[in-house]
Amino acid sequence: MSYFSSSRRGWFTVAATAVVGSVALSGCGGSTSTAPTGSEPQTIKFSFSTANPTDTFLQDTAAAFEKANPGTKIELVKLPAETEPQTVTTQLQGGNAADVMNIRSGQGQIGAMNGFAKAGLLLELNDAEFSDRLPQSIEDLFKYEDKFYAVPLSSMPTGLIFNEAKAKELGVTLNADSSFDDFLDQCKVARDKGVSLAALAGTVPGNPGIMTLMLASSTVYGPNPDWNADRAAGKTTFADDKGWQQALEGVKQMFDAGCFQDGAAGAGFDTLISSMGQGKALGFFAPGGAAKSIADGSKGAVNPVVVPMPAPGVSEKYLGTTAELALAGNAKTKSPTLVKKFLKFFMDKQGAEMVAKGQGTLPVNLGDYALPASYAPIAELYKEDKVRPLPQTDWPSAKVYDSLGKGVTAMITGQKSGADVLKEMDTAWGK
């Protein structure tokens, strides 16, 4: 969902931008007043980016808000996906950001909410209408010192974005019931057919990082959803935790079984996505919205499903999800009431479902929302409440996640062991 450099951009944004390119396989200033003198300006600026350059769901949602609120105007400012987190950071610090903007929830990455809130750059959102609409499991990602400063765009389940039709042609079988041993066996079947089961972009830390977090969702955070709090309290460490050891050992087993394409450690997103588009790989690791981007970009020629990743050494399977993509208001806006009203619209049923359908994701309050067909393999995990937020948005700095992503790549080239990687994550975390 964000994509990824060492600065930890949102993986989905970068990955899906690359997907659409390969599988087809205006400045931000203050508000302009259109309201009567003495009242709050009823025009605000909204800066954003989308993973797929052709997506219009945010524009459509803004238009729906205008229709529901006559006399209001949302000026749209589309930013390049690759640089959007850095651009928003610079604009907020410089005092010329839009009234509403894309940011990242929690902390531990560029463009994350906590740093902006700490600096007093974001509008407080303490109305009950915000807090009451956030699931308790993720509300801390949108709070700083018990005050809300952002709203989620959607919930993005993660998994193997899998070309099921192509796999069947080759005799490769992988589904929601597959164990980790099954996964390794199918890696070998795929190799015998001249393809890899999963492509990996080793030069982009977020790709091996998100893959490993999928394993840790079952080995670490499924059994103990409060693991991050335990780490922060000094009750455990990455290096001493059995679940984290299992996750890193699983990565090594996947590499040894030939699950990744040749040269995976040196591959970027272009290689990753082109491998799937050309039938050289059957899947790749990403938030589930990438499945829609591939289907749209290929005009239906490829319709992937999202298969949950099994993990080694555990019988229970948990689904990792992320709600890292968020919206926030500028503390310097001249229209705070209108900004809050606009942000609430994204949490209302109409706005939340427009975003989810356009993005190929899910509303954070799932309710009776029908899962996309591509999510069929993960549907049972939702029914059984075996869903865990990915942990990196609650880590203290981007260095921890960067150490994981880069460390995994070093593992598959034989430069580091799993124990080395976990020790480096502890060092990056600090006391």
Side-chain angles (χ1 to χ4, degrees):
M1 89 157 160
S2 21
Y3 38 0
F4 275 107
S5 68
S6 59
S7 62
R8 174 64 179 95
R9 295 194 302 273
W11 191 95
F12 176 73
T13 303
V14 174
T17 301
V19 167
V20 174
S22 299
V23 181
L25 350 217
S26 67
C28 296
S31 302
T32 302
S33 177
T34 58
T37 301
S39 65
E40 187 176 282
Q42 292 300 289
T43 294
I44 57 175
K45 287 186 177 180
F46 173 30
S47 68
F48 64 95
S49 65
T50 53
N52 183 342
T54 64
D55 279 343
T56 62
F57 60 90
L58 288 176
Q59 296 96 313
D60 295 342
T61 306
F65 174 82
E66 290 177 339
K67 183 176 181 180
N69 296 273
T72 63
K73 175 66 177 176
I74 310 299
E75 292 186 3
L76 303 174
V77 183
K78 193 166 186 179
L79 303 175
E82 290 278 356
T83 58
E84 178 256 338
Q86 293 90 339
T87 299
V88 169
T89 298
T90 300
Q91 290 175 342
L92 275 172
Q93 293 172 341
N96 64 331
D99 300 275
V100 176
M101 69 222 79
N102 273 147
I103 63 168
R104 304 297 180 265
S105 63
Q107 58 188 10
Q109 54 191 315
I110 288 239
M113 183 201 74
N114 282 23
F116 296 147
K118 182 178 181 179
L121 300 175
L122 301 182
L123 183 69
E124 290 184 19
L125 307 174
N126 281 328
D127 302 15
E129 291 172 90
F130 292 107
S131 58
D132 290 349
R133 300 181 196 192
L134 277 172
Q136 187 175 1
S137 62
I138 65 169
E139 67 175 19
D140 284 348
L141 296 177
F142 302 90
K143 291 195 309 188
Y144 176 74
E145 294 187 344
D146 292 325
K147 296 178 180 179
F148 288 90
Y149 288 94
V151 301
L153 264 182
S154 63
S155 175
M156 299 185 289
T158 63
L160 181 71
I161 310 302
F162 186 57
N163 188 343
E164 194 173 41
K166 181 66 175 179
K168 287 182 179 179
E169 291 179 14
L170 300 176
V172 175
T173 303
L174 191 66
N175 54 48
D177 297 323
S178 298
S179 67
F180 189 71
D181 286 342
D182 294 334
F183 188 93
L184 297 181
D185 289 342
Q186 293 308 302
C187 288
K188 296 172 184 176
V189 173
R191 276 285 180 173
D192 288 343
K193 299 293 185 179
V195 303
S196 61
L197 183 56
L200 187 71
T203 63
V204 188
N207 191 229
I210 200 170
M211 173 190 69
T212 310
L213 292 184
M214 291 178 196
L215 301 181
S217 293
S218 295
T219 63
V220 180
Y221 296 93
N224 182 10
D226 297 322
W227 193 91
N228 280 357
D230 289 346
R231 178 63 184 84
K235 297 179 180 179
T236 188
T237 65
F238 289 104
D240 292 336
D241 187 84
K242 180 181 177 181
W244 274 106
Q245 293 167 7
Q246 289 173 313
L248 271 292
E249 177 59 26
V251 172
K252 183 178 184 302
Q253 290 177 279
M254 291 165 68
F255 177 73
D256 291 344
C259 295
F260 313 131
Q261 82 277 20
D262 293 340
F269 274 118
D270 52 348
T271 301
L272 184 160
I273 304 303
S274 64
S275 294
M276 188 173 180
Q278 296 167 14
K280 295 179 181 179
L282 297 177
F284 63 94
F285 307 98
K292 181 179 184 298
S293 290
I294 290 176
D296 290 349
S298 67
K299 301 187 185 302
V302 180
N303 289 286
V305 295
V306 183
V307 176
M309 270 301 298
V314 293
S315 57
E316 296 289 331
K317 188 181 299 182
Y318 288 84
L319 180 71
T321 67
T322 176
E324 70 171 11
L325 299 183
L327 299 179
N330 189 339
K332 294 185 176 181
T333 182
K334 297 177 182 178
S335 304
T337 300
L338 180 58
V339 166
K340 288 183 179 181
K341 192 171 186 179
F342 184 53
L343 291 174
K344 288 174 187 175
F345 189 74
F346 283 87
M347 301 184 75
D348 289 340
K349 181 179 175 64
Q350 180 185 0
E353 291 192 358
M354 287 183 72
V355 170
K357 289 177 181 177
Q359 195 180 38
T361 54
L362 301 172
V364 293
N365 286 309
L366 189 57
D368 58 357
Y369 186 80
L371 270 62
S374 60
Y375 286 4
I378 60 175
E380 197 63 28
L381 294 175
Y382 274 97
K383 291 179 183 178
E384 297 176 359
D385 197 26
K386 292 183 177 179
V387 177
R388 296 289 186 266
L390 292 185
Q392 78 279 9
T393 49
D394 198 32
W395 289 351
S397 76
K399 293 180 180 179
V400 185
Y401 193 42
D402 201 47
S403 296
L404 173 62
K406 289 181 177 178
V408 167
T409 297
M411 276 179 58
I412 65 177
T413 59
Q415 300 176 62
K416 292 180 181 178
S417 66
D420 293 333
V421 176
L422 295 176
K423 288 177 183 177
E424 290 178 357
M425 293 172 69
D426 281 320
T427 299
W429 185 292
K431 296 181 180 180

